Amino acid sequence: MGSSSNKGFLWGLSHSLWVLWTFLFMPCVGFFIIGKRAGHRPWLIWGGIYLVCMLIVFTFIDSEYKDSKLFEAFLVLYFLGSFVHTFVARSEYLRKLRAIEDGEDLYEEQRHQSGVGYANRAEQFASQYNARHNRQTVETGRSDTQSGSTATERPDHTAVKSQARQARQAAATAASTATASAASAAVVDVNSCSLTELSALPGIGIVEAKQAVKYRFEHGGFASFDEFATVVKLKPHFLVQLQDRVVCGPVKSTPEAGAPSQPEDTPTTEHHGRSLDL
C-alpha cells in the first residue's frame, strides 16, 4: 500500500481505503467503488461476480454442505482470489486515478491558456475587421462618387432605347386600332358588293362568299340579313359582329323562267332600206 509515485504516500493511502472491504469479506463493494470512480467497466463486472460468490457463501454457510470439501475449496479460492485481485487492482486503480487527475489539471491549464489566447485572437480579429470595414467604406464612397459623376456626364442609353421602343409600340397599337375601327365602321351591301368585299367579312371565307354571290344572281339578292345569314351559314358569334356591318339593298326582280336573258348593253339591230313587196 506504500506505492504512491509522485502524488505522495498520503495520497495513495487515502485512495486505497476501499481495500478494507476485502478484509471484511465483501470485495464486491470495493470493486464497485473503484469501477465507478475510474469509469472502468470490467471492475464493475468483477464486483457483480464477487457479489454472487458472497451470496453463495452466506447461503450455504449454515447448511449441511458447509463441511463438504467442495464448499471449503470454494471458500479458499474466493478469499485468496479476492485478496490477490484486490492488490493487483489497487496498483492499476492508482495509476488510472493519477492519469485522470493529471488530465484534469492539464485540461484546466489548457483551457485557461486557450481562454487567454482566444481573447487575444478576438481582439486582434476585431481590430482587423474594423480596419477592413473602414477601408471598404472609403472605397465604396469613392466608387459611388465616380459612378454619380459618370452618370451625369453620360446619358442613360438603356432608358433612351426603352422610351423609343415604348413609343414605337404605342404608334403600332394606335395604327392597328385605327385600322380596326375603320374596318368595323365600313358597311357592306351584300346585294351590290364584290366577291372580295364579301370574303373580307368576319366569319365568311371565299367559299361562303361564292355561295352568296350565286344565290344573289339566282334570286336577285337578299331580302333581309337573316336570309343572308342562313345562306352563308353564319355562326352565332359572327351574327352579332355583322348585324351592324351588313345591309341589304334593293332586291332586283327575278328573271322569268324560260325568258332569254339579254345584256343591257347589247345593241339592237336596225334594218335600213326598202322592203320588197312580193
Side-chain angles (χ1 to χ4, degrees):
M1 295 177 62
S3 178
S4 57
S5 184
N6 297 329
K7 289 291 184 178
F9 174 78
L10 295 179
W11 180 87
L13 182 63
S14 63
H15 289 87
S16 299
L17 296 178
W18 60 274
V19 178
L20 297 177
W21 289 102
T22 303
F23 288 95
L24 297 175
F25 305 108
M26 289 188 295
C28 58
V29 179
F31 277 91
F32 281 138
I33 292 173
I34 63 175
K36 181 66 175 178
R37 290 180 179 177
H40 194 53
R41 187 176 180 182
W43 288 338
L44 296 174
I45 296 175
W46 275 110
I49 294 174
Y50 286 130
L51 177 62
V52 173
C53 293
M54 186 181 66
L55 293 177
I56 293 174
V57 171
F58 289 158
T59 301
F60 293 98
I61 195 66
D62 295 329
S63 65
E64 58 184 3
Y65 300 101
K66 65 179 180 178
D67 295 330
S68 64
K69 293 183 179 180
L70 181 63
F71 184 71
E72 291 177 356
F74 177 78
L75 288 177
V76 172
L77 290 176
Y78 171 66
F79 290 117
L80 289 179
S82 62
F83 274 99
V84 174
H85 193 189
T86 296
F87 283 96
V88 172
R90 173 186 173 274
S91 301
E92 183 68 18
Y93 170 68
L94 293 178
R95 187 181 63 83
K96 286 181 177 295
L97 198 61
R98 281 195 300 268
I100 292 173
E101 293 183 357
D102 292 341
E104 291 179 354
D105 296 340
L106 181 61
Y107 173 75
E108 291 294 335
E109 182 179 357
Q110 290 179 351
R111 186 173 63 177
H112 177 71
Q113 292 178 356
S114 63
V116 175
Y118 176 78
N120 294 334
R121 288 196 300 271
E123 183 178 358
Q124 182 180 4
F125 175 77
S127 61
Q128 292 177 357
Y129 174 79
N130 291 332
R132 184 166 62 250
H133 180 70
N134 294 334
R135 185 169 60 253
Q136 290 179 354
T137 303
V138 173
E139 292 178 356
T140 304
R142 188 181 305 166
S143 61
D144 292 341
T145 304
Q146 292 178 356
S147 61
S149 60
T150 305
T152 55
E153 293 175 359
R154 283 191 261 177
D156 190 356
H157 297 286
T158 305
V160 174
K161 292 180 180 179
S162 177
Q163 292 177 359
R165 183 168 59 254
Q166 292 177 359
R168 288 195 299 269
Q169 291 177 355
T173 304
S176 61
T177 304
T179 303
S181 61
S184 62
V187 178
V188 177
D189 185 359
V190 294
N191 287 332
S192 62
C193 66
S194 62
L195 180 66
T196 303
E197 292 175 343
L198 275 176
S199 62
L201 293 173
I204 299 177
I206 187 64
V207 176
E208 290 81 2
K210 287 182 179 180
Q211 291 177 354
V213 171
K214 180 180 179 182
Y215 184 88
R216 184 176 64 186
F217 176 77
E218 292 176 352
H219 298 82
F222 300 97
S224 64
F225 175 74
D226 294 336
E227 183 181 2
F228 170 75
T230 303
V231 172
V232 298
K233 299 178 181 179
L234 278 178
K235 295 182 179 180
H237 59 280
F238 289 121
L239 285 173
V240 177
Q241 298 181 19
L242 294 179
Q243 281 182 352
D244 298 332
R245 295 187 55 186
V246 171
V247 296
C248 299
V251 179
K252 296 180 181 179
S253 59
T254 304
E256 297 179 359
S261 60
Q262 181 178 2
E264 296 179 356
D265 55 350
T266 302
T268 57
T269 305
E270 297 182 359
H271 298 277
H272 300 280
R274 61 181 181 174
S275 60
L276 180 63
D277 295 331
L278 296 178

